[in-house]
Amino acid sequence: MESRFQGAEMGSELLPGLLFCFDSVSAGGAQRSTLTSYGLSTSIRDAWLASYDSTHYYRLGLNVYENLTKIGKNVGFIGLGNMGSHMARNLITAGYKVTVHDINENSMKKFSDDGIPTKQSPLEVSESSDVVITMLPSSSHVLEVYNGTNGLLGGGSHLGPWLYIDSSTVDPQTSRKISTAISRCHLKENKGYVENPLILDAPVSGGVPAAEAAKLTFMVGGLEEAYLAAKPLLLSMGKRAIYCGGAGNGSAAKICNNMAMAISMLGVSEAFALGQNLGIKASTLTDIFNCSSARCWSSDTYNPVPGVMEGVPSSRNYDGGFTSKLMAKDLDLAMASASGVGFKCPMGSEALEIYRKLCGDCCELKDFSCVFRHYYAGKDEE
């Protein structure tokens, strides 16, 4: 169910938070007349109809186009790190009215210097937002931002925002805990188009380059109606949003993805280092991998060997990107979640130990691809 329209149409004519109602099973005249009655242009209407499987029957129980200016134009964004800062700026570019917060005053100053409103607490952000997005380093940070003093839920059980989106990488249990807390709350005002506040766990994949280029992939858990409503907003920051099921399933998908990514990076780095020791240049192996069965993201998009690929962390001494510390954190989440369901992950466990060692060897702030140089003792391409 991937949206087939982008850019100006999504950011302007199709305002944030679009919800719609299919009146019959087939994508025929009934839907077209309904969508037209809500003021959608022919191009936007047909794009939506083309985007969704006509065999699905969506009756969302929420009003649509006449409420769009109220639903989601004001967005709060909390967490302005390597990823969040780019995501927030892409929302601004798309036409959203964004208010930001971060515990790092310098991060906020970069926004305030550009005239973007900043707030001193998550609670203050929520007071001026229809939708709040959080992008935070860990489960403990997420719990503090939502449940802590002056947190998003610190004003009691009656909330201003109608939708919360947590794009942090956390364990599924944390996502489900926050979802349960939100489900017990009510809206301060009757908005007409939604009865109670909703939350999605929507972690991302693609790293800093994709965040900057608005090409992230969102893995989304929560109520499907909320996912459909949030999709235009998510696609202002990314190229794709994938619905994963109920609360916590987005987070589950993300930790599985990152475990596979870590194992892949280790395998590629090990192979490159072995090749160098056998007298084969890493650039030659890269050409072979990328047209053979070893091809993967770690070889063709995020190559770990300095001197092989421009624009990736390995080309700048492994600075920037996705830190080894965060990779160790994500692997720890995956192993804890596996243990919770009695599942053994021998390769994931080994990957965790390697990244823990990297962190102990003062590489915690280096991009996780530094494993090539600092664990396997790989050499730069000459």
Side-chain angles (χ1 to χ4, degrees):
M1 299 193 298
E2 184 178 356
S3 178
R4 298 182 188 178
F5 58 94
Q6 299 284 339
E9 287 189 323
M10 182 179 66
S12 56
E13 192 169 6
L14 182 63
L15 295 175
L18 175 62
L19 299 174
F20 60 95
C21 177
F22 277 171
D23 288 329
S24 67
V25 175
S26 66
Q31 291 96 322
R32 283 181 166 76
S33 62
T34 297
L35 291 175
T36 301
S37 73
Y38 285 122
L40 292 178
S41 71
T42 300
S43 61
I44 294 297
R45 179 201 67 191
D46 290 345
W48 269 105
L49 290 172
S51 298
Y52 290 90
D53 187 338
S54 62
T55 62
H56 282 77
Y57 182 54
Y58 292 113
R59 183 174 294 279
L60 303 183
L62 303 170
N63 289 333
V64 193
Y65 191 65
E66 66 268 26
N67 290 315
L68 287 180
T69 56
K70 304 175 185 176
I71 288 179
K73 199 66 178 174
N74 299 308
V75 179
F77 203 104
I78 300 172
L80 304 174
N82 289 336
M83 298 289 290
S85 59
H86 294 302
M87 294 165 69
R89 289 195 180 276
N90 284 328
L91 288 173
I92 295 165
T93 299
Y96 292 86
K97 297 177 181 178
V98 177
T99 300
V100 301
H101 169 74
D102 195 280
I103 59 173
N104 186 322
E105 290 289 341
N106 290 331
S107 296
M108 284 204 293
K109 188 175 186 302
K110 293 176 183 178
F111 282 80
S112 62
D113 286 348
D114 291 335
I116 308 304
T118 62
K119 300 293 182 180
Q120 292 302 308
S121 72
L123 182 58
E124 288 184 25
V125 170
S126 71
E127 290 170 349
S128 62
S129 303
D130 303 305
V131 179
V132 175
I133 301 172
T134 49
M135 185 62 167
L136 303 163
S138 69
S139 298
S140 62
H141 291 93
V142 171
L143 291 171
E144 178 64 23
V145 162
Y146 277 87
N147 297 330
T149 304
N150 292 320
L152 292 171
L153 307 185
S157 61
H158 286 76
L159 308 178
W162 75 275
L163 178 62
Y164 298 81
I165 301 173
D166 182 33
S167 288
S168 315
T169 299
V170 299
D171 59 279
Q173 292 79 8
T174 294
S175 295
R176 289 164 185 156
K177 184 182 297 183
I178 298 296
S179 178
T180 298
I182 294 286
S183 71
R184 294 170 178 163
C185 295
H186 306 279
L187 290 171
K188 285 182 180 179
E189 299 178 3
N190 182 359
K191 297 183 181 293
Y193 46 82
V194 63
E195 295 181 359
N196 298 104
L198 303 171
I199 184 168
L200 297 170
D201 47 284
V204 301
S205 181
V208 174
E212 186 172 6
K215 293 184 178 180
L216 293 167
T217 294
F218 287 85
M219 295 155 269
V220 188
L223 189 68
E224 187 172 13
E225 289 85 348
Y227 159 72
L228 292 172
K231 195 170 183 181
L233 185 149
L234 297 177
L235 292 178
S236 295
M237 301 176 284
K239 64 179 181 179
R240 192 171 185 194
I242 301 172
Y243 182 63
C244 302
N249 280 18
S251 294
K254 177 59 191 291
I255 61 175
C256 290
N257 179 81
N258 278 23
M259 182 180 75
M261 181 172 69
I263 293 168
S264 171
M265 181 59 74
L266 293 175
V268 166
S269 296
E270 189 170 296
F272 281 141
L274 173 61
Q276 288 181 338
N277 279 277
L278 295 174
I280 307 173
K281 295 180 67 174
S283 56
T284 301
L285 277 181
T286 296
D287 289 341
I288 293 169
F289 287 179
N290 291 345
C291 64
S292 302
S293 55
R295 183 177 186 176
C296 63
W297 182 81
S298 296
S299 68
D300 69 6
T301 304
Y302 213 79
N303 197 288
V305 182
V308 170
M309 184 177 291
E310 294 297 321
V312 294
S314 62
S315 70
R316 51 179 184 267
N317 197 32
Y318 300 105
D319 291 329
F322 188 70
T323 67
S324 296
K325 179 180 180 179
L326 288 178
M327 179 55 82
K329 183 265 294 186
D330 290 356
L331 287 167
D332 193 44
L333 291 176
M335 294 308 97
S337 296
S339 177
V341 295
F343 186 79
K344 293 182 179 180
C345 295
M347 297 181 73
S349 297
E350 182 64 20
L352 174 58
E353 291 307 311
I354 290 173
Y355 277 101
R356 281 177 173 169
K357 185 178 187 307
L358 274 179
C359 292
D361 291 341
C362 301
C363 295
E364 62 179 7
L365 298 182
K366 293 291 187 182
D367 181 77
F368 81 107
S369 62
C370 78
V371 69
F372 169 76
R373 175 189 288 170
H374 296 289
Y375 185 81
Y376 290 108
K379 303 296 190 297
D380 294 10
E381 185 81 349
E382 297 179 355

